[in-house]
C-alpha cells in the first residue's frame, strides 16, 4: 500500500507530508504515518524542528468519517496530537486550504501554526452531530479565548486566514510558498530559542468566562432544541475552564463517544455523504465535458429571479437580468439592492462586497443583451404559453452553446424544451424561495437533456454555493410532490378534529423549523390558491379535497403579508397567534362535511403527515424520478428544512422500519381510501425486511 505520509529533510528541518487524497483525512494509516515520521525526526540529531504540511488541496479535512462505527485501529488521533505536542523539538503546522475537525486539532497540538492565504480553519464536527473529539474543545479556548472558541465549535463554520491570524489561531500568514515559509519560520524559532509552546499548558481566566455559557445556551435554545451535540460542545468548553486539562480531555472523550453512538449523529453523517453522493450521476460519467459558465442571464426579476441573480453575483459571475418592462426591472433591481443592504447592516457582508456584487448585476429589457450569456435561467410567471413564447425567443437570440434553464415548479420541462431547437440544452433548475438563501437546486433532467448540460448545471450548483440534486420530470418533481402528499393530510386532519397550532407543534417538535400552516402563512396562501384554481378543472370528482384553505383565502387572508392567514399576526410581528375566527371556520367545515370531530393524538398527527410523505418518496423511487433514496433526503433537508439529525425522510423511514410504516399506511388506507394506498416499493421492503438505504 502506498505510504500516506512521507518525510523529507530540508537542512535542519524535517518536513512531514500528509498525502491522503482528496482531503488528507486522518485515517489509521495517516495517524500511524504521522507518529512514525515525527518519531523519526525527533530521533535524528541533525533535525532541530519539524514542519507538518498537507499535500494536494488542503492540510486536512479531519478524522476519516468513514471509519466511524468501524473497529478502531491504533493510534488514536489524540495520541498522534500528543506526540506532536510532547516533541522536544518545535513542531509547526503549515496550513493551506482547509484544516478542519481533527485536522485543526492536530494543528492546535503543534507548537506554532503558519498558514497561507488559502487557509480555512474550523471545527465542523457539530454538523455531524458530534463535538471535536481530539482536544479541540480543550485546546482552542486556551489558545484564543472562550467566546471565540465557542463561536467556532458551535457554528461549525470555517474562518479565513486573516481572521485566524487576528484571533491568534495562526501565528503567521506566509507570502509565497507555504512549505518554504514554514521551514524558514521553524529555523527562526530555533535560532531565537523560542519556547515549545504547548497549547494545553495555556491558562484561561475563569472570571473572563463568567456568564458566557448560560448566555450561549439561551441563544441556541430554539435552533438546538432536542439536539445533543450543541449542549455537549458547550459543556466541554466549560470544562476547559473549570477542570484540569486531563480531566477536561477525559470528559470530551466521553461526550464524543456518546454523540458518535447517537441516532442524531448517524442521521447527520448520512446527510454529509448523501450530499456528496448526489453529485454522482450513474449514466453521466465524472469526466463528462463541462461548459464554462462565465456569464449568466436571468429572465424575470420577481421573487425568484432576483434571488437567483444574487447567487451568480455572490459567486463572482456577471449576470444580466431581463424583464419585460422597465418598471418591473427597476422594482426587481431595487429589491436586490435592499437585500444586500440588509446583509451589510446585519454584518454578513461588507459594504465593499455589496458594491462588488451589485456591480456584477446588469438590468435590461432587450434580448440582444443576453445573447452571449453561457446560461439563461428563466423565472417568468408560471404560465406554459408564456414560457413557450419566451423559449422560442431565447432559442433565436441566444448563442447556440447557451444552456436554457427553467425555474418552473410545476410545468413540464419536456414541453418547454420542445419550444426550442436545442432540447439537449434545456434543463430545469428549480430553486427554492428565498432563492439567495435556500441551498437546494432540483436540477430537472428532460427526456432530451444532454449529459454535458447535466454535468455543467450540477457543477454550477456547487459553484454558486448550492446543493444540486438531479431529478426527473413529473408533477412537482421530488420536493413539491412529496410536500403535497404531506400538507394535504395536514389539512384533512383539521377537518377531522385537529387545529393548525396542534399540527404545527408536532412538526416543529419533530425538528422542522415550522409546521405546514405557519409555513403556508410565510410563503403566502394566495400562491397555492391560484394553483388550485387552475387545477380545479382536472381534479377527479371523487378525490377528497379540503376547502378550508380556499375559504381562508376568500376572506382576503393570505398569510403574513396580510397579517392574517391560518393564524393572525400583530402588526410588525411574525409570531403566529391561533385565531378563534379560523378555529370557528374549521369546526364549521367539519360539520358541513359530516365529520364528527375527535381528539387526535400527537403520534397520529406525526404519522399522518410523515408516512404519506415517505410513501410518495417510495413512489418517486419506483418511477426513477430520483436516482437514489439519499437524493430524496438531500432534497428535503436543503429545500424544506427536514431535520438533518433525522437524516432526511427516507433515512428516517429506515429508522422507523418499512414494516411499521407499511402497517400504518395499510390501516390508513383502509380508513381513508385510495390516496393513502401503500406504495408497492414500501410493501416490498416491508416484506423483505430491507430499507430504502439498501436499494
Ligand atoms: N473523512 C472522510 N472523507 C471525507 C472527509 C472526512 N473528514 N472530508 C471529505 N471527505 C470526502 C468526501 O466524502 C468526498 O468523497 P467523494 O469524492 O467520495 O464523494 C471527498 O472527500 C471530497 O469532499 P468534498 O466533495 O466535500 O470536497 P470539497 O473540496 O468541496 O471540500 C472539505 C473539502 C472542505 C474538506 C469538505 O469535504 C469538508 O468540509 N469536509 C468536512 C470534514 C469534517 O466534517 N471533518 C470533521 C470530521 S470529524 C472529526 O474530525 C472528529 C475529530 O474531532 C476527532
Ligand atoms: P413573480 O411573479 O414574483 O416574478 C415573475 C417575474 O417575471 C415578474 O417580475 C414579471 O414582470 C416577469 N416577467 C413576466 N413575463 C416576462 C417576460 N416575458 N419577460 C421577462 N420577464 C417577465 O414570480 P416568481 O414567484 O418569481 O416565480 C417565477 C418562476 O419561478 C415561476 O415559474 C414559479 O413557478 C417558479 N418558482 C417560484 C417559487 C416561489 O416560491 N415563488 C419557488 C420555485 C419556483
Amino acid at each position: 500500500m502506498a505510504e500516506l505520509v512521507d518525510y523529507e529533510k530540508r537542512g535542519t528541518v524535517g518536513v512531514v507530508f500528509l498525502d491522503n487524497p482528496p482531503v488528507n483525512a486522518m485515517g489509521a494509516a495517516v495517524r500511524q504515518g504521522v507518529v512514525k515520521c515525527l518519531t523519526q525526526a525527533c530521533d535524528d540529531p541533525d533535525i532541530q524542528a519539524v514542519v507538518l504540511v498537507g499535500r494536494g488541496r488542503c492540510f486536512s479535512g479531519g478524522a476519516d468519517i468513514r471509519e466511524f462505527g468501524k473497529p478502531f485501529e491504533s493510534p488514536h488521533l489524540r495520541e498522534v496530537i500528543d506526540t506532536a505536542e510532547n516533541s522536544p523539538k518545535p513542531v509547526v503546522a503549515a496550513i493551506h486550504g482547509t484544516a478542519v475537525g481533527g485536522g485543526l486539532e492536530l494543528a492546535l497540538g503543534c507548537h506554532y501554526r503558519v498558514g497561507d492565504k488559502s487557509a480555512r480553519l474550523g471545527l465542523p464536527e457539530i454538523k455531524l452531530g458530534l463535538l471535536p473529539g481530539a482536544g479541540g474543545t480543550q485546546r482552542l479556548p486556551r489558545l484564543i479565548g472562550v467566546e471565540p472558541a465557542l463561536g467556532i465549535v458551535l457554528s461549525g463554520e470555517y474562518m479565513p486566514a486573516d481572521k485566524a491570524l487576528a484571533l491568534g489561531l495562526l501565528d503567521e500568514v506566509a507570502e509565497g510558498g507555504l512549505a518554504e515559509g514554514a521551514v524558514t519560520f521553524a529555523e527562526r524559532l530555533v535560532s531565537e530559542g523560542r519556547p515549545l509552546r504547548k497549547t494545553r499548558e495555556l491558562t484561561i481566566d475563569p472570571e473572563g468566562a463568567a456568564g458566557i455559557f448560560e448566555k450561549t445556551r439561551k441563544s441556541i435554545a430554539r435552533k438546538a432544541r432536542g439536539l445533543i451535540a450543541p449542549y455537549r460542545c458547550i459543556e466541554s468548553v466549560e470544562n476547559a475552564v473549570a477542570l484540569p486539562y486531563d480531566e477536561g480531555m477525559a470528559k470530551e472523550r466521553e461526550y464524543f463517544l456518546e454523540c458518535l453512538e447517537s441516532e442524531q449523529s448517524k442521521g447527520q453523517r448520512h446527510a454529509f455523504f448523501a450530499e456528496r453522493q448526489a453529485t454522482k450521476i450513474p449514466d453521466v460519467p465524472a469526466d463528462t465535458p463541462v461548459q464554462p459558465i462565465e456569464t449568466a442571464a436571468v429572465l424575470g426579476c420577481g421573487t425568484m429571479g432576483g434571488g437567483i441573480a444574487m447567487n451568480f453575483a455572490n459567486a463572482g459571475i456577471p449576470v444580466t437580468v431581463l424583464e419585460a418592462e422597465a418598471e418591473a426591472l427597476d422594482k426587481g433591481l431595487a429589491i436586490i439592492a435592499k437585500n444586500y443592504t440588509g446583509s451589510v447592516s446585519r454584518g454578513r457582508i461588507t459594504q465593499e462586497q455589496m458594491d462588488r456584487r451589485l456591480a456584477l448585476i446588469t438590468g435590461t429589457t432587450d434580448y440582444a443583451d443576453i445573447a452571449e450569456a453561457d446560461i439563461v435561467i428563466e423565472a417568468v410567471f408560471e404560465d406554459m404559453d408564456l414560457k413557450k413564447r419566451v423559449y422560442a425567443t431565447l432559442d433565436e437570440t441566444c448563442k447556440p452553446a447557451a444552456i436554457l434553464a427553467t425555474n418552473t415548479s410545476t410545468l413540464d420541462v419536456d414541453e418547454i424544451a420542445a419550444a426550442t431547437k436545442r432540447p439537449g440544452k434545456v434543463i430545469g433548475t428549480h430553486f427554492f424561495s428565498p432563492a439567495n438563501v435556500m441551498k437546494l437546486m432540483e436540477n430537472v433532467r428532460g427526456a432530451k437533456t444532454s449529459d454535458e448540460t447535466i454535468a455543467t448545471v450540477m457543477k454550477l450548483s456547487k459553484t454558486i454555493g448550492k446543493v444540486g440534486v438531479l431529478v426527473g420530470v413529473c408533477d412537482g418533481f421530488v420536493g413539491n410532490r412529496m410536500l403535497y402528499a404531506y400538507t394535504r393530510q395536514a389539512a384533512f386532519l383539521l377537518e377531522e378534529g385537529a387545529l393548525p397550532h396542534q399540527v404545527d407543534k408536532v412538526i416543529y417538535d419533530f425538528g422542522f423549523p415550522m409546521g405546514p400552516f405557519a409555513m403556508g402563512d410565510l410563503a403566502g396562501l394566495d400562491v397555492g390558491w391560484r394553483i388550485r384554481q387552475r387545477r380545479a378543472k382536472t381534479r377527479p370528482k371523487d378525490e377528497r379535497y379540503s376547502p378550508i384553505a380556499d375559504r381562508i383565502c376568500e376572506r382576503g387572508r393570505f398569510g403574513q403579508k396580510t397579517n392574517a392567514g391560518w393564524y393572525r399576526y400583530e402588526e410588525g410581528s411574525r409570531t403566529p397567534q391561533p385565531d378563534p375566527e379560523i378555529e370557528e371556520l374549521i369546526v364549521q367545515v367539519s360539520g358541513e362535511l359530516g365529520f364528527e370531530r375527535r381528539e387526535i393524538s400527537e403520534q397520529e398527527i406525526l404519522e399522518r403527515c410523515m408516512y404519506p410523505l415517505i410513501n410518495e418518496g417510495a413512489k418517486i423511487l419506483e418511477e426513477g424520478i430520483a436516482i437514489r433514496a439519499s437524493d430524496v433526503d438531500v432534497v428535503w433537508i436543503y429545500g424544506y428544512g427536514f431535520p438533518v439529525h433525522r437524516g432526511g425522510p427516507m433515512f428516517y423511514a429506515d429508522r422507523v422500519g418499512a414494516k411499521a410504516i407499511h402497517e400504518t399506511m395499510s390501516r390508513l388506507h383502509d380508513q381513508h381510501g385510495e390516496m393513502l394506498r401503500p406504495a408497492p416499493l414500501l410493501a416490498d421492503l416491508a416484506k423483505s425486511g430491507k430499507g430504502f438505504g439498501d436499494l
Side-chain angles (χ1 to χ4, degrees), residues 8-11 13-17 50-55 92-96 114-116 172-189:
E8 67 185 49
K9 288 199 215 181
R10 300 215 181 148
V13 177
V15 184
V16 178
F17 291 93
V50 186
V51 166
L52 268 178
V53 66
R55 285 203 200 279
V92 178
I95 297 171
H96 76 293
V114 175
D116 72 7
E172 190 171 286
V173 176
E175 303 284 339
L178 175 66
E180 294 70 30
V183 167
T184 310
F185 182 88
E187 287 167 345
R188 214 167 61 223
L189 291 177

Side-chain angles (χ1 to χ4, degrees), residues 385-396:
D385 291 338
L386 170 67
K387 296 222 190 229
K388 281 183 176 168
R389 281 201 306 279
V390 160
Y391 270 78
T393 313
L394 284 173
D395 198 26
E396 270 168 31

Side-chain angles (χ1 to χ4, degrees), residues 1-6 19-21 25-34 36 64 67 73-74:
M1 196 174 83
E3 291 287 329
L4 301 185
V5 181
D6 54 73
D19 191 9
N20 182 23
M26 307 276 305
V30 173
R31 299 196 298 272
Q32 289 154 7
V34 172
K36 187 175 136 201
D64 189 336
E67 281 185 357
E73 226 184 296
S74 180

Side-chain angles (χ1 to χ4, degrees), residues 52-110:
L52 268 178
V53 66
R55 285 203 200 279
R57 63 167 113 150
C58 65
F59 181 75
S60 171
D64 189 336
I65 307 167
R66 288 173 211 274
E67 281 185 357
F68 291 167
K70 300 212 176 112
F72 171 72
E73 226 184 296
S74 180
H76 193 278
L77 184 54
R78 284 170 310 147
E79 296 166 46
V80 180
I81 298 170
D82 284 347
T83 308
E85 198 169 45
N86 293 332
S87 153
K89 302 172 183 179
V91 181
V92 178
I95 297 171
H96 76 293
T98 39
V100 297
L104 178 58
E105 289 174 302
L106 172 61
L108 287 170
C110 294

Side-chain angles (χ1 to χ4, degrees), residues 22-23 25 57-58 60-66 68 76-77 98 100-103 105 120 123-125 128 130-134 158 256 272-273 276-277 279-280 462:
V23 301
R57 63 167 113 150
C58 65
S60 171
D64 189 336
I65 307 167
R66 288 173 211 274
F68 291 167
H76 193 278
L77 184 54
T98 39
V100 297
E105 289 174 302
R120 292 192 312 144
L123 292 172
E125 286 86 344
L128 302 172
L130 299 171
L131 71 157
Y158 302 165
F256 181 80
F272 176 86
F273 288 116
R276 282 149 184 91
Q277 183 74 5
T279 60
K280 299 170 178 84
K462 186 161 183 179

